[in-house]
Amino acid sequence: MRTMTDSCLQLVDYRNAHPSAYSIFKRAIDILGSLVGLFFLALIFIPIALAITLENPGPVFYSQERYGLQGKRFKIYKFRSMVTNADQLKNKVKNEAKGLIFKNENDPRVTRVGRFLRQTSLDEIPQFWNVFLGEMSLVGTRPPTADEVKHYNDHHWRRLDVKPGITGEWQVSGRSNIKDFDQIVALDLQYQTRWHPLYDLSIILKTFQVVFARVGAC
């Protein structure tokens, strides 16, 4: 069984990684998509930054350490959608999910602006920087936190054989409506089974459909 210690190694062993992790075509799509996303980020940054700080003064961006491909740690970036002391208040919020994830549909820590950002997925836009750096992909798994991975077994670790993604099977299959961690793992492994160089494009197209329809957003 993999342990927390060897999961924290910063060198990725591609021998155990999924083929998508070293696909040149996938990386090309990621670079192109991240450049488009960063251009969009530049356009929307000022109005979103003003809205966030006017409602709840503090940082515009929220960053957190997450675990990516083969357990490599990195800092993920999002527009801040919660109050500034949200991490300290987490233990006061009921977890409505089952398993090694945390979800609450009406989380009181989420601001009004933050709820809009989540419903429209605009809070995710800064992650295009993570994609550009190669820490994430446009399509992959949801990157877990340290609190989650310390409870992983070998089956759970398999979901990190691909790069984490801004979107993925979970997001286009119901997103916030899916609150069972084992079901999320199953979807992540389904992605690995179904993946081919053009499969990411179909997931990206479905993501646009889900975002515009606001399916499973909260």
Side-chain angles (χ1 to χ4, degrees):
M1 178 181 290
R2 289 186 241 190
T3 66
M4 193 68 173
T5 301
D6 50 38
S7 75
C8 295
L9 293 176
Q10 297 298 290
L11 295 177
V12 175
D13 184 359
Y14 283 101
R15 292 172 300 178
N16 297 321
H18 187 267
S20 65
Y22 46 83
S23 167
I24 296 176
F25 183 77
K26 181 177 175 68
R27 181 58 183 152
I29 294 175
D30 285 346
I31 292 174
L32 179 61
S34 65
L35 290 174
V36 173
L38 290 172
F39 175 74
F40 182 62
L41 173 62
L43 295 178
I44 65 173
F45 174 76
I46 291 179
I48 289 181
L50 286 174
I52 290 172
T53 53
L54 284 174
E55 181 179 7
N56 187 256
V60 172
F61 294 115
Y62 173 77
S63 66
Q64 185 182 48
E65 185 175 85
R66 297 290 184 96
Y67 285 73
L69 179 63
Q70 299 287 283
K72 184 176 181 180
R73 291 171 292 177
F74 70 100
K75 285 277 189 179
I76 197 173
Y77 296 96
K78 296 184 177 185
F79 278 122
R80 182 169 61 86
S81 60
M82 292 186 173
V83 294
T84 53
N85 61 336
D87 288 339
Q88 289 72 39
L89 297 174
K90 184 177 179 179
N91 61 356
K92 299 182 182 299
V93 180
K94 180 182 178 181
N95 185 9
E96 296 176 345
K98 178 182 178 182
L100 304 179
I101 55 169
F102 184 91
K103 297 193 72 65
N104 184 294
E105 190 171 345
N106 297 301
D107 195 324
R109 299 172 299 165
V110 179
T111 63
R112 286 176 297 175
V113 171
R115 194 163 298 281
F116 171 77
L117 294 177
R118 290 184 172 204
Q119 288 174 342
T120 56
S121 296
L122 289 173
D123 62 316
E124 311 278 357
I125 299 298
Q127 292 175 45
F128 282 109
W129 178 244
N130 294 114
V131 175
F132 181 75
L133 294 178
E135 298 167 333
M136 294 181 63
S137 175
L138 295 178
V139 183
T141 73
R142 172 191 168 275
T145 64
D147 287 344
E148 294 167 2
V149 299
K150 69 182 180 182
H151 299 295
Y152 273 16
N153 58 38
D154 285 346
H155 175 68
H156 299 147
W157 277 109
R158 289 177 55 203
R159 67 191 298 268
L160 297 184
D161 286 342
V162 301
K163 282 185 179 181
I166 295 179
T167 187
E169 292 280 5
W170 173 52
Q171 287 87 340
V172 301
S173 299
R175 199 162 130 189
S176 296
N177 293 328
I178 300 176
K179 299 179 180 181
D180 187 328
F181 177 66
D182 286 335
Q183 189 175 352
I184 292 173
V185 173
L187 288 169
D188 287 335
L189 298 183
Q190 174 180 289
Y191 169 74
Q192 295 184 29
T193 301
R194 292 181 173 180
W195 183 85
H196 56 76
L198 295 178
Y199 188 63
D200 283 1
L201 297 179
S202 67
I203 294 290
I204 292 170
L205 179 59
K206 289 179 182 178
T207 300
F208 280 114
Q209 295 171 340
V210 167
V211 169
F212 287 125
R214 295 193 183 184
V215 177
C218 69

